[in-house]
Amino acid sequence: WDLNEASLRSVVSEYKKICKNHTGKEFPSNPQEQIELAIKAVFSSWMGERAIVYREKNHITKEIADGTAVNVVAMVFGNMGDDSATGVVFTRNPGDGKKQIFGEYLVNAQGEDK
């Protein structure tokens, strides 16, 4: 597929129609409102049928996980030279669950580049 400017505008226009048909509201043009709605959607999804079934199937109890999280990040190019990078930081160690800052990064990389 060739997504030139005209094609991309058409895709965006169709997506906005789908959003309006689904929500009854215009897609917000304010970025702050878009972020707030996205955050609310993540938190609301925690008690959705699909999420509940997933937790049940995988034996994820309230003792293991009693909520979800939202990460809001500014996306940048990490592969623009040795003075740029990509990485991730957690407030818990994903290996053992300890409450400690954990992070890793790759210099001059983008996403899953190695």
Side-chain angles (χ1 to χ4, degrees), residues 2-16:
D2 182 21
L3 281 180
N4 57 28
E5 183 180 346
S7 298
L8 189 54
R9 286 184 185 277
S10 177
V11 169
V12 170
S13 177
E14 289 302 312
Y15 180 76
K16 286 181 176 182

Side-chain angles (χ1 to χ4, degrees), residues 17-98:
K17 289 177 190 173
I18 292 168
C19 288
K20 184 169 184 178
N21 288 338
H22 182 72
T23 66
K25 299 176 183 175
E26 296 290 336
F27 189 85
S29 59
N30 180 314
Q32 184 67 33
E33 184 179 356
Q34 292 173 9
I35 291 172
E36 289 173 8
L37 289 171
I39 291 169
K40 288 177 184 176
V42 171
F43 286 126
S44 295
S45 74
W46 179 255
M47 291 308 295
E49 180 182 0
R50 195 167 142 195
I52 292 169
V53 169
Y54 176 86
R55 290 192 298 275
E56 288 172 353
K57 278 185 161 183
N58 291 283
H59 309 288
I60 300 172
T61 65
K62 284 189 175 186
E63 289 74 32
I64 296 172
D66 193 20
T68 189
V70 174
N71 294 301
V72 178
V73 299
M75 301 300 289
V76 296
F77 289 106
N79 56 355
M80 301 293 286
D82 289 338
D83 61 347
S84 62
T86 184
V88 63
V89 176
F90 301 95
T91 55
R92 286 186 179 265
N93 185 316
D96 58 22
K98 289 182 183 173

